[in-house]
Amino acid sequence: MKKRTLIAVATALAATTAFGAAGCSGSKGHGSGGKNPATANQGAVVGGTPQKGGTLTVLSNQDFTHLDPARNWVVSDMDFGTRLLYRTLVTYKAAPGTAGGELVPDLATDLGTPSNGTKTWTFHLKKGVKYEDGTPVTAQDIKYNVERSFSPDLPGGSDYAARYLAGAEGYQGPAQGKHLDSIKTPDDHTIVFELRKPFAEFPNATVMPNFAPTPKSQDKGPQYDNRPFSSGPYKIESYQRGKKLVLVRNTHWAASTDAVRKAYPDKLVVVMGLKPNQIDDRLIASQGPDASAVSWGALRPESAAKVLPNAEVRMRLIAESTNCTDMVQMHTGKAPFDEVKVRQAVQYALDKDSVLTASGGPAFNDLSTAYMPATLFDGKQPDTLKIPATGDVEKAKRLLKEAGKPDGVETKMTVSTGDKGRAEAIQQSLGKAGIKVTIETVDPSAFYATIGDTKNRTDMVYTGWCPDYPSGSTFLPFVFDGRFIKEKGNSGNHSLFRDKPTMKRMDDIAAMTDAKQANAAWRKLDGEILAKSPAVPVLVRRWPLVLGTNIAGAYGQTSFGGQLDYATVGLKAPSKNQG
């Protein structure tokens, strides 16, 4: 998913010493020691089945990036929005492990009907689905939200519609009464999408929040971010940006129309602006109201020593893989990173092991030797460049000299505040090769807007990407296709990579009708792009979360980057916390 970039993930600093090294993909410095203590609950539901009622509290150090469904394309925010506030044409099954990647109908009665060689897709909507005011959800509302996702004043959302809908080139949204002829609504319960090229995977794209409904009468432009109109089981009672969000039941939501969302709590309260160490300590202690709380962000590295050795707390730990690759992306459109040898020097100079340590060690991280995560390589990333996990400083220096930069280069790198420790490890290792990096940190809620401003951003960014579903088509084109770079609200391709042979090959692979052939081609292309070094793959993290003792129905949802699945979580004993 978009920059399903993950922010403020943290992990087990003590794991490397207290528990030995778990296996690390591509790292010769870490063997396959004993069982990973962080993954005992992987693929399992923690806490049993919740009881209906009570207040679930979410402790957070940050606000959401976006809740407007036209703009919401950050993995955790997507989970929260599509599980609680609005429904999409199809969605992911509510289940731990690989079952959580299964597509199931949501607003639609099925997964869509293709015709015209998969260039036309028809969906029929369930009847009886209502908004928070009791009015029915219509096909026209879905069409309207897809259209408004093209609006220049609503940047940040999924761009599957822009990539695939016929006649979408240059479209600027419905503000002047202009609509897309390629989205047809013959009646209130039928929506038809006409694509400009075959796309057999289109139902997977309709999981995205911009395929949720928004009634035109409720649209408030950028202000809609503060109060999206609910078609899900909860509605917004109050929202103080950066402070608190309170959700209460949408009494017009009908469980009979929704096989995914269980809506156990009566209320959800997201408390923002807390310090991450406070959140960790409160959940580890799990006293009073905190017994009925969960964390929004992942466990900090410093807190791991309090969790992994403690059997009771470890039983309340979930740590699902994010399935997302962290990367250092370099601005390939300007000096010094317009020169491939300079970019390759960064690739060789980077000590990934030091970043692993800053991320807490191998209990919650795997090193990356390719762009796409291991799930897109049948479970194991290739290592085409054979660079040591600790880097090769001398080779990096030679590359800089060959590039005409014998004295090195200076640059700036933007990171989320939660990634500062990783950035410092990167800064130190690159400095050994003569690549001097100045770090600029940005608050997580403003991070994507900052790095998405291509005219004013720094030349390096630390970010990441997650596939929306198990296909290379949801990874490499979004991160490296230069035809979809935007001046504002740019996402994915933060290296601003505009390589014609790469783009042509992407088109060739996208036209393949044999999925096995296409998968092999995406894997080969991954290595070919890696050799051109627009970005350096660094880590695939886990998303460790400590749960309060009163939490039930909890697991990391693999399709949402390992975040808690808000469709099923609730309380063991609601009477303990009515909020």
Side-chain angles (χ1 to χ4, degrees):
M1 289 169 196
K2 153 189 176 191
K3 43 191 179 194
R4 277 180 59 162
T5 322
L6 299 169
I7 39 187
V9 172
T11 43
L13 191 62
T16 50
T17 54
F19 291 93
C24 287
S25 172
S27 172
K28 295 181 176 61
H30 297 280
S32 55
K35 182 175 173 61
N36 188 341
T39 58
N41 293 323
Q42 188 173 8
V45 177
V46 176
T49 303
Q51 300 299 306
K52 193 169 183 178
T55 297
L56 175 69
T57 300
V58 183
L59 304 178
S60 180
N61 68 324
Q62 65 190 70
D63 200 346
F64 299 94
T65 303
H66 294 295
L67 285 180
D68 181 337
R71 308 179 70 179
N72 184 351
W73 202 18
V74 175
V75 58
S76 293
D77 296 0
M78 287 176 57
D79 173 25
F80 194 86
T82 62
R83 294 317 217 187
L84 300 172
L85 289 171
Y86 32 79
R87 299 172 64 178
T88 46
L89 282 171
V90 305
T91 190
Y92 294 113
K93 186 176 181 179
T98 55
E102 181 183 339
L103 283 187
V104 293
D106 191 2
L107 291 174
T109 57
D110 56 27
L111 300 181
T113 303
S115 56
N116 190 24
T118 71
K119 287 176 68 175
T120 301
W121 285 88
T122 301
F123 296 84
H124 299 285
L125 304 191
K126 296 172 184 173
K127 296 182 180 178
V129 182
K130 297 178 180 179
Y131 291 110
E132 61 182 80
D133 66 350
T135 56
V137 171
T138 69
Q140 291 85 354
D141 299 337
I142 297 172
K143 171 182 168 74
Y144 182 73
N145 193 54
V146 175
E147 290 179 336
R148 63 191 290 274
S149 71
F150 285 81
S151 302
D153 61 342
L154 301 177
S158 154
D159 62 1
Y160 282 96
R163 287 172 184 259
Y164 288 102
L165 286 177
E169 299 89 344
Y171 182 62
Q172 298 282 296
Q176 277 76 46
K178 296 179 181 178
H179 299 282
L180 284 170
D181 294 335
S182 52
I183 309 177
K184 297 178 172 59
T185 52
D187 59 57
D188 286 354
H189 291 90
T190 306
I191 187 164
V192 182
F193 299 93
E194 300 285 354
L195 311 183
R196 63 170 172 260
K197 56 185 176 182
F199 186 29
E201 300 169 349
F202 185 71
N204 293 275
T206 67
V207 170
M208 300 296 107
N210 55 334
F211 289 90
T214 293
K216 183 178 179 181
S217 61
Q218 296 294 329
D219 187 11
K220 296 177 176 62
Q223 296 305 312
Y224 194 69
D225 227 0
N226 300 325
R227 185 62 175 81
F229 200 58
S230 174
S231 55
Y234 296 93
K235 63 182 180 181
I236 294 176
E237 181 180 75
S238 62
Y239 189 7
Q240 297 170 275
R241 297 303 300 256
K243 295 181 180 178
K244 182 185 282 191
L245 171 69
V246 179
L247 304 185
V248 295
R249 291 194 183 278
N250 168 12
T251 56
H252 294 283
W253 171 79
S256 60
T257 71
D258 193 339
V260 175
R261 299 164 185 83
K262 302 307 179 186
Y264 288 116
D266 289 333
K267 182 188 290 188
L268 288 94
V269 178
V270 183
V271 182
M272 307 169 192
L274 301 173
K275 292 182 178 179
N277 62 322
Q278 290 178 320
I279 296 171
D280 291 353
D281 289 345
R282 285 172 60 174
L283 288 172
I284 290 167
S286 189
Q287 298 295 310
D290 290 340
S292 300
V294 297
S295 173
W296 179 252
L299 193 73
R300 296 166 68 247
E302 298 88 331
S303 299
K306 303 174 186 177
V307 174
L308 293 179
N310 187 322
E312 185 278 324
V313 179
R314 204 164 62 239
M315 286 174 61
R316 299 187 276 119
L317 171 71
I318 58 176
E320 189 61 62
S321 174
T322 63
N323 197 34
C324 310
T325 306
D326 280 18
M327 290 175 270
V328 174
Q329 297 198 49
M330 295 162 277
H331 191 329
T332 60
K334 56 185 290 194
F337 299 123
D338 56 346
E339 167 57 54
V340 66
K341 287 186 182 294
V342 175
R343 303 197 301 268
Q344 289 170 337
V346 175
Q347 186 97 259
Y348 278 86
L350 185 59
D351 180 349
K352 295 180 184 180
D353 258 356
S354 69
V355 187
L356 182 89
T357 300
S359 295
F364 289 122
N365 303 272
D366 289 309
L367 297 187
S368 283
T369 53
Y371 294 124
M372 297 191 299
T375 52
L376 299 186
F377 288 101
D378 287 337
K380 182 174 176 60
Q381 286 182 320
D383 186 4
T384 57
L385 296 182
K386 308 293 184 188
I387 302 172
T390 52
D392 185 339
V393 172
E394 294 309 311
K395 176 70 178 284
K397 288 179 177 178
R398 288 197 301 272
L399 285 163
L400 286 172
K401 188 174 181 180
E402 290 170 16
K405 308 284 185 184
D407 298 323
V409 297
E410 294 188 15
T411 188
K412 293 180 180 179
M413 179 169 63
T414 300
V415 303
S416 163
T417 51
D419 286 327
K420 187 179 180 185
R422 296 176 186 85
E424 289 171 345
I426 293 166
Q427 178 188 52
Q428 186 173 3
S429 66
L430 296 187
K432 293 175 182 177
I435 303 166
K436 184 179 179 181
V437 179
T438 302
I439 299 169
E440 295 187 359
T441 59
V442 178
D443 183 83
S445 62
F447 179 67
Y448 300 119
T450 301
I451 66 172
D453 182 350
T454 60
K455 296 292 184 184
N456 298 297
R457 47 155 279 193
T458 60
D459 289 343
M460 294 177 78
V461 299
Y462 186 82
T463 180
W465 193 266
C466 322
D468 285 307
Y469 50 92
S471 170
S473 67
T474 74
F475 199 102
L476 296 181
F478 286 89
V479 182
F480 299 115
D481 189 337
R483 292 165 290 190
F484 295 92
I485 295 170
K486 304 172 186 173
E487 183 176 331
K488 298 271 190 182
N490 186 52
S491 62
N493 190 348
H494 294 297
S495 60
L496 307 179
F497 191 55
R498 293 179 169 93
D499 183 64
K500 288 182 179 179
T502 297
M503 292 186 285
K504 182 183 184 303
R505 186 57 182 154
M506 287 176 181
D507 290 343
D508 293 342
I509 300 171
M512 293 177 181
T513 55
D514 184 321
K516 189 174 181 181
Q517 180 189 13
N519 285 339
W522 287 123
R523 293 170 184 176
K524 186 171 184 289
L525 182 61
D526 188 292
E528 292 169 355
I529 300 173
L530 188 64
K532 298 177 181 180
S533 300
V536 183
V538 183
L539 297 172
V540 173
R541 315 182 202 176
R542 294 187 178 277
W543 191 263
L545 297 166
V546 174
L547 312 166
T549 52
N550 195 31
I551 297 298
Y555 55 86
Q557 166 58 276
T558 55
S559 294
F560 292 116
Q563 178 62 281
L564 193 67
D565 193 339
Y566 282 90
T568 61
V569 70
L571 306 181
K572 294 177 184 176
S575 60
K576 288 186 177 179
N577 185 12
Q578 293 297 332

